[in-house]
Amino acid sequence: MTNTTTERRRAPRAIALALAAGIAVSMAGALPAAAHTQVSPAAPEPGSTVTTGPVTVALETTEPILESGQKSIIVKGPGDEERYFGDGCTEVTNGTTLSAEMTLGAPGEYTVVWTLVAEDGHTQSSNDFEPFTFTWQPDEGQQSAEGSPSVPTCGDESSSGETGDEESSDAGSSDEASGSESQGDEPADNDASAADGGDIAWLIAAAGIVFIAAAAVVMIAVRRKMLADDAEDAAADDDAAAPDDTSRSGPPATS
């Protein structure tokens, strides 16, 4: 087999190897883009029972939190009527801990509702993770709050709904009602952020599928070319190995 034939065989194989390497690099680059900051409950312990307040609710993140980004922690109280507790304000500690202190209302199970932005610019919220819940069973004499019918916004003093007696509770309810219009957009923002993250993930997945399909078509074409080259080489080898009929026939007969 000649050197030219060998080189011709090696070329398709080199193309296939380069294509496979390109797929691996592309998919490796897509994985970090699809992965986002992970968030886990830090306090109270999920499923635990808390008896004294104010209650500190905290979250831990795997990547630093963008302090200038949107961030909020409140809790949704028990009962058929939705009530939200806390003022929406938070504190960032050590770059990866988000916390808020709040006074709760009636005994029962509370669900933590939160939003934060990681340094990579991606917004995470409680809509993206398993529910974080705990039980509030206050000891005698613990302060309680009325809560808000809408999601509180940091900076709105009426949103916390804290009460010391029945009179202040009524006043807090009036303030909450007056501020509900400006607070009503918060859940929509969280839903939009979650939708944006889902759209990005779908786009990455779709691009990966298209790339893999194109790579498969090219690899099939390369494989066919390799098989055709092998068949051509085999035919050439057979022709070279066949005996020369002229050389074996001997001298022409004479009369």
Side-chain angles (χ1 to χ4, degrees), residues 59-82:
L59 304 166
E60 290 284 354
T61 63
T62 55
E63 300 294 335
I65 300 168
L66 185 64
E67 295 203 37
S68 61
Q70 179 188 8
K71 52 187 181 295
S72 172
I73 296 180
I74 52 103
V75 295
K76 183 169 65 174
D80 297 332
E81 181 183 358
E82 286 191 347

Side-chain angles (χ1 to χ4, degrees), residues 56-59 65 67 71-73 87-101 154:
T56 297
V57 179
L59 304 166
I65 300 168
E67 295 203 37
K71 52 187 181 295
S72 172
I73 296 180
D87 57 10
C89 298
T90 60
E91 179 181 355
V92 177
T93 307
N94 298 327
T96 57
T97 301
L98 187 69
S99 62
E101 188 176 274
C154 184

Side-chain angles (χ1 to χ4, degrees), residues 199-250:
D199 291 342
I200 293 173
W202 277 111
L203 287 173
I204 292 173
I209 291 172
V210 171
F211 185 84
I212 292 172
V217 171
V218 174
M219 293 183 73
I220 290 173
V222 170
R223 176 60 177 168
R224 288 179 177 175
K225 181 66 169 59
M226 292 170 63
L227 291 175
D229 289 344
D230 289 343
E232 182 180 344
D233 293 341
D237 292 341
D238 290 342
D239 291 342
D244 188 345
D245 293 337
T246 303
S247 64
R248 292 187 307 171
S249 61

Side-chain angles (χ1 to χ4, degrees), residues 5-33:
T5 301
T6 302
E7 292 299 326
R8 191 171 68 249
R9 283 189 171 187
R10 287 178 178 174
R13 291 181 173 87
I15 294 173
L17 290 173
L19 187 59
I23 293 174
V25 171
S26 299
M27 296 306 293
L31 289 176

